[in-house]
Amino acid sequence: MINLPPYPNDTTPDWPGLTLQEIRMRRTLVQARMEIQKFKMAAQIDGYRQKVPFFGGSQSMFSRLAGAFTMAEYGYFAIKAFRLVAPLFRRKR
C-alpha cells in the first residue's frame, strides 16, 4: 500500500504546502479507496439480496411466481382487477 506522509499538524508560515505530484497521489489514492469500497458494498448488498426469501435472486418466491405466468394470464389478472376496481370509480346518479 502506498504510504503517504500525513498532513502537517501545524501549518507554519514557512511550510511550502503540497506539491502538485503529492496532491495527485492523494487524489488517486482516495479514488482507489472509494472504488474498492463501492465494490465491497455491492458485493455485500448482493449477498443480502440472495438471502431474502420473497424478492431475492432467481430462486425467490416472487421470481418463481412471476416466471410461471404467461402474458395471457397477466392479461386475465389485469381484467379481473379492473372489473373489481372499476365500480368504485363510477359516478352515482
Side-chain angles (χ1 to χ4, degrees):
M1 177 154 191
I2 300 171
N3 205 357
L4 297 174
Y7 290 112
N9 291 335
D10 56 339
T11 56
T12 58
D14 60 338
W15 182 64
L18 296 174
T19 64
L20 185 59
Q21 182 66 23
E22 288 174 332
I23 292 171
R24 287 179 179 159
M25 284 292 288
R26 289 180 190 275
R27 184 175 61 193
T28 304
L29 185 62
V30 168
Q31 287 174 345
R33 286 180 183 161
M34 285 179 9
E35 288 299 319
I36 291 169
Q37 283 303 111
K38 280 188 209 176
F39 179 77
K40 286 180 181 178
M41 285 174 48
Q44 193 174 21
I45 288 171
D46 285 339
Y48 291 143
R49 200 174 282 155
Q50 294 294 330
K51 293 178 185 176
V52 177
F54 290 105
F55 299 106
S58 62
Q59 296 299 317
S60 68
M61 291 182 71
F62 181 74
S63 177
R64 288 188 218 164
L65 184 67
F69 294 132
T70 64
M71 290 302 277
E73 289 170 325
Y74 283 123
Y76 174 75
F77 291 138
I79 291 171
K80 281 291 212 183
F82 178 75
R83 287 184 180 167
L84 184 68
V85 177
L88 299 175
F89 294 104
R90 288 194 182 141
R91 290 188 206 173
K92 292 185 179 181
R93 295 181 187 189

Short mmCIF file of all heavy atoms in Angstrom, two decimals, residues 38-60:
data_model
loop_
_atom_site.label_atom_id
_atom_site.label_comp_id
_atom_site.label_asym_id
_atom_site.label_seq_id
_atom_site.Cartn_x
_atom_site.Cartn_y
_atom_site.Cartn_z
N LYS A 38 -16.91 0.79 -2.95
CA LYS A 38 -18.12 0.57 -3.77
C LYS A 38 -18.26 -0.90 -4.13
O LYS A 38 -19.35 -1.46 -4.07
CB LYS A 38 -18.04 1.38 -5.06
CG LYS A 38 -18.40 2.83 -4.93
CD LYS A 38 -18.45 3.43 -6.33
CE LYS A 38 -18.13 4.87 -6.34
NZ LYS A 38 -18.09 5.43 -7.69
N PHE A 39 -17.15 -1.52 -4.51
CA PHE A 39 -17.18 -2.94 -4.88
C PHE A 39 -17.58 -3.79 -3.68
O PHE A 39 -18.41 -4.70 -3.80
CB PHE A 39 -15.81 -3.36 -5.41
CG PHE A 39 -15.75 -4.80 -5.79
CD1 PHE A 39 -16.31 -5.25 -6.98
CD2 PHE A 39 -15.14 -5.72 -4.96
CE1 PHE A 39 -16.25 -6.58 -7.32
CE2 PHE A 39 -15.07 -7.04 -5.29
CZ PHE A 39 -15.63 -7.48 -6.48
N LYS A 40 -17.01 -3.50 -2.50
CA LYS A 40 -17.35 -4.27 -1.30
C LYS A 40 -18.82 -4.10 -0.93
O LYS A 40 -19.49 -5.06 -0.55
CB LYS A 40 -16.47 -3.83 -0.14
CG LYS A 40 -15.04 -4.32 -0.23
CD LYS A 40 -14.24 -3.85 0.98
CE LYS A 40 -12.81 -4.32 0.90
NZ LYS A 40 -12.02 -3.81 2.05
N MET A 41 -19.32 -2.86 -1.03
CA MET A 41 -20.73 -2.62 -0.70
C MET A 41 -21.66 -3.33 -1.67
O MET A 41 -22.67 -3.91 -1.26
CB MET A 41 -21.02 -1.12 -0.69
CG MET A 41 -20.46 -0.42 0.51
SD MET A 41 -20.62 1.38 0.49
CE MET A 41 -22.29 1.65 0.03
N ALA A 42 -21.33 -3.32 -2.96
CA ALA A 42 -22.16 -4.00 -3.95
C ALA A 42 -22.17 -5.51 -3.69
O ALA A 42 -23.22 -6.15 -3.79
CB ALA A 42 -21.66 -3.71 -5.36
N ALA A 43 -21.03 -6.07 -3.34
CA ALA A 43 -20.97 -7.50 -3.04
C ALA A 43 -21.78 -7.83 -1.79
O ALA A 43 -22.47 -8.86 -1.74
CB ALA A 43 -19.52 -7.93 -2.87
N GLN A 44 -21.72 -6.96 -0.81
CA GLN A 44 -22.47 -7.18 0.42
C GLN A 44 -23.97 -7.09 0.17
O GLN A 44 -24.75 -7.90 0.67
CB GLN A 44 -22.03 -6.15 1.46
CG GLN A 44 -22.48 -6.44 2.85
CD GLN A 44 -21.90 -5.46 3.85
OE1 GLN A 44 -21.49 -4.37 3.49
NE2 GLN A 44 -21.86 -5.85 5.10
N ILE A 45 -24.39 -6.13 -0.64
CA ILE A 45 -25.81 -5.98 -0.96
C ILE A 45 -26.31 -7.18 -1.74
O ILE A 45 -27.41 -7.68 -1.51
CB ILE A 45 -26.05 -4.66 -1.72
CG1 ILE A 45 -25.89 -3.48 -0.77
CG2 ILE A 45 -27.44 -4.64 -2.36
CD1 ILE A 45 -25.89 -2.13 -1.45
N ASP A 46 -25.50 -7.68 -2.68
CA ASP A 46 -25.89 -8.87 -3.42
C ASP A 46 -26.05 -10.07 -2.49
O ASP A 46 -26.95 -10.89 -2.67
CB ASP A 46 -24.87 -9.19 -4.51
CG ASP A 46 -24.97 -8.25 -5.70
OD1 ASP A 46 -26.05 -7.63 -5.87
OD2 ASP A 46 -23.99 -8.15 -6.46
N GLY A 47 -25.18 -10.17 -1.51
CA GLY A 47 -25.30 -11.25 -0.54
C GLY A 47 -26.59 -11.15 0.25
O GLY A 47 -27.27 -12.15 0.49
N TYR A 48 -26.95 -9.93 0.68
CA TYR A 48 -28.21 -9.74 1.39
C TYR A 48 -29.40 -10.03 0.49
O TYR A 48 -30.39 -10.62 0.92
CB TYR A 48 -28.33 -8.31 1.92
CG TYR A 48 -27.37 -7.98 3.04
CD1 TYR A 48 -26.80 -6.73 3.12
CD2 TYR A 48 -27.02 -8.91 4.00
CE1 TYR A 48 -25.91 -6.40 4.13
CE2 TYR A 48 -26.14 -8.61 5.02
CZ TYR A 48 -25.59 -7.35 5.08
OH TYR A 48 -24.73 -7.05 6.09
N ARG A 49 -29.31 -9.63 -0.76
CA ARG A 49 -30.40 -9.82 -1.70
C ARG A 49 -30.66 -11.31 -1.94
O ARG A 49 -31.80 -11.72 -2.13
CB ARG A 49 -30.07 -9.11 -3.00
CG ARG A 49 -31.27 -8.83 -3.85
CD ARG A 49 -30.91 -8.00 -5.06
NE ARG A 49 -30.76 -6.61 -4.67
CZ ARG A 49 -30.02 -5.74 -5.31
NH1 ARG A 49 -29.34 -6.10 -6.37
NH2 ARG A 49 -29.94 -4.50 -4.90
N GLN A 50 -29.61 -12.11 -1.95
CA GLN A 50 -29.77 -13.55 -2.16
C GLN A 50 -30.45 -14.22 -0.97
O GLN A 50 -31.10 -15.25 -1.13
CB GLN A 50 -28.40 -14.20 -2.39
CG GLN A 50 -27.73 -13.77 -3.66
CD GLN A 50 -28.46 -14.24 -4.90
OE1 GLN A 50 -29.12 -15.28 -4.89
NE2 GLN A 50 -28.36 -13.47 -5.96
N LYS A 51 -30.32 -13.63 0.21
CA LYS A 51 -30.88 -14.24 1.42
C LYS A 51 -32.35 -13.93 1.62
O LYS A 51 -33.02 -14.59 2.41
CB LYS A 51 -30.10 -13.77 2.65
CG LYS A 51 -28.68 -14.29 2.67
CD LYS A 51 -27.94 -13.75 3.86
CE LYS A 51 -26.48 -14.18 3.82
NZ LYS A 51 -25.71 -13.61 4.91
N VAL A 52 -32.89 -12.93 0.94
CA VAL A 52 -34.28 -12.54 1.12
C VAL A 52 -35.17 -13.59 0.44
O VAL A 52 -35.04 -13.84 -0.75
CB VAL A 52 -34.54 -11.14 0.52
CG1 VAL A 52 -36.00 -10.76 0.64
CG2 VAL A 52 -33.68 -10.12 1.22
N PRO A 53 -36.10 -14.22 1.19
CA PRO A 53 -36.85 -15.34 0.61
C PRO A 53 -37.87 -14.96 -0.46
O PRO A 53 -38.12 -15.74 -1.36
CB PRO A 53 -37.55 -15.95 1.82
CG PRO A 53 -37.62 -14.86 2.81
CD PRO A 53 -36.41 -13.99 2.57
N PHE A 54 -38.47 -13.77 -0.37
CA PHE A 54 -39.55 -13.46 -1.30
C PHE A 54 -39.08 -12.70 -2.54
O PHE A 54 -39.63 -12.87 -3.61
CB PHE A 54 -40.64 -12.64 -0.61
CG PHE A 54 -41.41 -13.46 0.38
CD1 PHE A 54 -41.19 -13.31 1.73
CD2 PHE A 54 -42.31 -14.41 -0.05
CE1 PHE A 54 -41.88 -14.06 2.64
CE2 PHE A 54 -43.01 -15.19 0.86
CZ PHE A 54 -42.79 -15.01 2.21
N PHE A 55 -38.08 -11.84 -2.43
CA PHE A 55 -37.70 -10.99 -3.55
C PHE A 55 -36.27 -11.17 -4.02
O PHE A 55 -35.86 -10.56 -4.98
CB PHE A 55 -37.91 -9.51 -3.19
CG PHE A 55 -39.33 -9.19 -2.87
CD1 PHE A 55 -39.73 -8.96 -1.57
CD2 PHE A 55 -40.27 -9.13 -3.88
CE1 PHE A 55 -41.03 -8.68 -1.28
CE2 PHE A 55 -41.58 -8.84 -3.59
CZ PHE A 55 -41.97 -8.62 -2.28
N GLY A 56 -35.47 -11.98 -3.36
CA GLY A 56 -34.05 -12.05 -3.69
C GLY A 56 -33.69 -13.18 -4.63
O GLY A 56 -34.05 -14.32 -4.43
N GLY A 57 -32.97 -12.85 -5.67
CA GLY A 57 -32.40 -13.85 -6.56
C GLY A 57 -33.41 -14.57 -7.44
O GLY A 57 -34.60 -14.31 -7.42
N SER A 58 -32.92 -15.51 -8.20
CA SER A 58 -33.78 -16.24 -9.14
C SER A 58 -34.55 -17.35 -8.45
O SER A 58 -35.47 -17.91 -9.04
CB SER A 58 -32.93 -16.80 -10.27
OG SER A 58 -32.00 -17.72 -9.74
N GLN A 59 -34.20 -17.70 -7.24
CA GLN A 59 -34.89 -18.76 -6.52
C GLN A 59 -35.93 -18.23 -5.54
O GLN A 59 -36.48 -18.99 -4.76
CB GLN A 59 -33.87 -19.62 -5.77
CG GLN A 59 -32.92 -20.35 -6.68
CD GLN A 59 -33.64 -21.31 -7.61
OE1 GLN A 59 -34.55 -22.02 -7.20
NE2 GLN A 59 -33.26 -21.31 -8.86
N SER A 60 -36.22 -16.94 -5.58
CA SER A 60 -37.20 -16.37 -4.65
C SER A 60 -38.60 -16.76 -5.07
O SER A 60 -38.87 -17.14 -6.21
CB SER A 60 -37.07 -14.85 -4.61
OG SER A 60 -37.47 -14.32 -5.85
#
